Amino acid sequence: MNWQLMMVLKRWTTFSIILPLILAVSWSTGQLLNIDNIFMILELIKQPWPWYTSGVIIALIMLTLLFFGKSFGFSSNLRTICSMMGAGKKVRFFDFNWKTQKWNLFFLIGAVVGGYLSSTFLVSDAPLNLSKSTIADLYKLGIHFDGGLNPSQLFDFESLASIKVVSLLLFGGILVGFGSRYAGGCTSGHAISGLSNLQLPSLVAVIGFFIGGLIMTHFLFPIIF
């Protein structure tokens, strides 16, 4: 029952976001919704949105989860998947009722599908608006800015031919996986869910995230690249 209510709430939230756009376009043009209005709305969605838009949407998601007594954490899906595959028979950490986390798996699937749809159908031709100082810093590290969100020099299929890139991704994945379990959550679990629940351990973890990021950016990153 809770899952059904959550689905209804998600649909209502999506409708409440799209409906004002439809009404605004219809009001500005003095016409009812037609195919031209739909294309105008799609063009509006394609444009870069202000940074605070994601914060508002995340806050709405957290309010929904808190209402239903759920705790958000993205990396916990890895534990759920391992439990689904029977890892709980040999490792106690994976021995739990994974069906209670089905909602989180749907969130994972939705994130992948949503990312694909946005990057395929709602992508803007305009290059990323990155500051000149950041572009210069990346160039000093040998990374060329090509206008995309992720440098193709590091995040395309051709880069997988580099042993260095593959080693960094593999080692980084191991650190993220170990760290998220050892700390009891990842960046989403602590920085979003934990802080919204006023959890002191999450605050300590988030401070550690920023300290680690600064150390990586200013000390380790130049050495690696």
Side-chain angles (χ1 to χ4, degrees):
M1 185 63 180
N2 287 345
W3 170 247
Q4 293 176 347
L5 290 175
M6 183 176 291
M7 289 298 297
V8 172
L9 187 58
K10 285 183 178 180
R11 291 174 181 175
W12 179 88
T13 303
T14 304
F15 181 75
S16 65
I17 295 174
I18 300 298
L19 181 60
L21 296 176
I22 296 176
L23 294 177
V25 174
S26 299
W27 178 81
S28 62
T29 58
Q31 299 176 355
L32 295 176
L33 182 64
N34 52 42
I35 190 65
D36 293 331
N37 298 145
I38 295 177
F39 280 116
M40 291 179 63
I41 294 175
L42 288 176
E43 287 299 323
L44 178 62
I45 296 177
K46 286 182 179 181
Q47 302 305 315
W49 288 14
W51 60 268
Y52 52 79
T53 305
S54 59
V56 174
I57 296 176
I58 291 175
L60 292 175
I61 294 175
M62 281 308 308
L63 287 174
T64 304
L65 293 176
L66 290 175
F67 178 78
F68 290 105
K70 302 294 184 179
S71 179
F72 175 73
F74 212 80
S75 63
S76 59
N77 284 304
L78 298 176
R79 181 191 181 200
T80 303
I81 294 174
C82 289
S83 179
M84 291 173 57
M85 299 178 66
K89 297 178 181 179
K90 295 184 178 180
V91 181
R92 182 179 299 178
F93 179 73
F94 300 115
D95 186 13
F96 70 102
N97 185 11
W98 62 267
K99 294 182 179 180
T100 60
Q101 296 296 315
K102 286 191 298 183
W103 67 271
N104 210 359
L105 289 175
F106 280 108
F107 187 91
L108 170 63
I109 296 173
V112 175
V113 174
Y116 171 77
L117 293 177
S118 63
S119 62
T120 304
F121 301 103
L122 300 177
V123 62
S124 175
D125 296 330
L128 181 67
N129 187 17
L130 194 63
S131 65
K132 295 182 179 179
S133 60
T134 302
I135 296 176
D137 291 338
L138 290 174
Y139 184 78
K140 292 178 182 178
L141 297 173
I143 301 175
H144 302 282
F145 175 65
D146 52 9
L149 180 62
N150 297 315
S152 59
Q153 185 177 348
L154 298 176
F155 294 98
D156 62 358
F157 288 105
E158 295 181 358
S159 64
L160 295 178
S162 171
I163 298 179
K164 179 179 179 180
V165 173
V166 174
S167 300
L168 288 174
L169 292 175
L170 181 60
F171 183 67
I174 293 175
L175 290 179
V176 170
F178 174 80
S180 61
R181 289 303 91 205
Y182 190 75
C186 59
T187 51
S188 61
H190 282 301
I192 300 177
S193 184
L195 290 183
S196 64
N197 284 292
L198 304 179
Q199 298 291 328
L200 181 59
S202 294
L203 177 60
V204 175
V206 171
I207 294 175
F209 294 157
F210 280 95
I211 293 176
L214 291 173
I215 293 175
M216 179 65 190
T217 301
H218 296 285
F219 296 101
L220 299 181
F221 203 83
I223 296 175
I224 296 175
F225 291 95

